[in-house]
Amino acid sequence: MESYKEEPVDINEKLLLQKQIAEKEQLLSEESIRERLDSIFNIVSDYMTQWIKEMDLEYKDSRYRFSPYSTTVFVDTLKEGAIPLRNLGSGSNWVGIHLLVYFAFQKYFIEKNRPVPSFILLDQPSQIYFPNQNNKTDWKAVRKIYTFIHNRVKELEGKLQVIVLDHADFPDDTDFNNAILERWDEENLALIPYDWIDEK
């Protein structure tokens, strides 16, 4: 401290630094952060709401909203108020709502060029329907899932990869069949081929 010598300060430089500090403090203020987060979640919720009718979910004329505070989805209705995901009916609604959330976040990240891996891995999204060849209602619902997935991938122009492992099959659907990379059947039984596994 004895050797410390105060250097003269350029008043313009000091004012510039004070201005930069004030700007950084504003960016880091709790209110500013919350406003930016609210803006992001409003955009994500807008995407979800736009896609509801494609998925044929309940309350298709209401707003779907993701809440970061309770990390769940709400549907805002005039009559019943905010309805949380846990009260939104059947398993098929839950599958549909989860798909809305996953794809809405991916769309946001891709459009904002954020450094988030742009892929989704889905394991048997049709499982809730337990589809069989005789139940046309179940197959119709499963087809909506795949149409929704196809539409999102197409909309994002190849910037999103979706990997789906499922039993669903639509032999008459060209888009569906063009997206299949591997089939598992009597001859090809495993995700990892048996000859890859060293028995020793």
Side-chain angles (χ1 to χ4, degrees), residues 124 165-167 182-195 197:
Q124 299 184 63
L165 309 172
D166 208 342
H167 298 290
E182 194 67 66
R183 289 184 185 272
W184 284 276
D185 49 31
E186 292 79 21
E187 294 174 17
N188 194 6
L189 292 173
L191 181 60
I192 299 172
Y194 290 122
D195 59 356
I197 301 169

Side-chain angles (χ1 to χ4, degrees), residues 130-148:
F130 299 109
N132 60 61
Q133 295 297 341
N134 299 323
N135 190 333
K136 290 190 179 4
T137 306
D138 285 348
W139 280 108
K140 189 175 175 185
V142 172
R143 190 181 286 265
K144 280 188 181 176
I145 287 174
Y146 281 96
T147 300
F148 174 80

Side-chain angles (χ1 to χ4, degrees), residues 104-163:
F105 273 104
Q106 282 290 354
K107 180 175 167 79
Y108 180 82
F109 295 144
I110 289 166
E111 290 189 342
K112 295 296 279 184
N113 200 26
R114 303 312 306 147
V116 175
S118 54
F119 76 91
I120 299 174
L121 174 63
L122 301 170
D123 185 19
Q124 299 184 63
S126 70
Q127 186 178 21
I128 195 71
Y129 298 99
F130 299 109
N132 60 61
Q133 295 297 341
N134 299 323
N135 190 333
K136 290 190 179 4
T137 306
D138 285 348
W139 280 108
K140 189 175 175 185
V142 172
R143 190 181 286 265
K144 280 188 181 176
I145 287 174
Y146 281 96
T147 300
F148 174 80
I149 292 169
H150 173 78
N151 289 345
R152 299 295 71 78
V153 171
K154 189 174 176 186
E155 178 182 304
L156 290 166
E157 299 174 336
K159 294 176 187 163
L160 175 66
Q161 179 184 28
V162 180
I163 301 166

Side-chain angles (χ1 to χ4, degrees), residues 36-68:
R36 286 187 303 178
L37 281 174
D38 285 345
S39 172
I40 291 166
F41 290 115
N42 281 336
I43 292 167
V44 166
S45 298
D46 285 345
Y47 295 150
M48 292 167 57
T49 301
Q50 289 168 23
W51 299 332
I52 297 165
K53 290 184 176 151
E54 281 185 56
M55 295 295 287
D56 198 25
L57 302 175
E58 288 185 53
Y59 303 101
K60 46 184 148 210
D61 293 322
S62 298
R63 179 172 169 75
Y64 277 58
R65 167 177 56 89
F66 179 81
S67 168

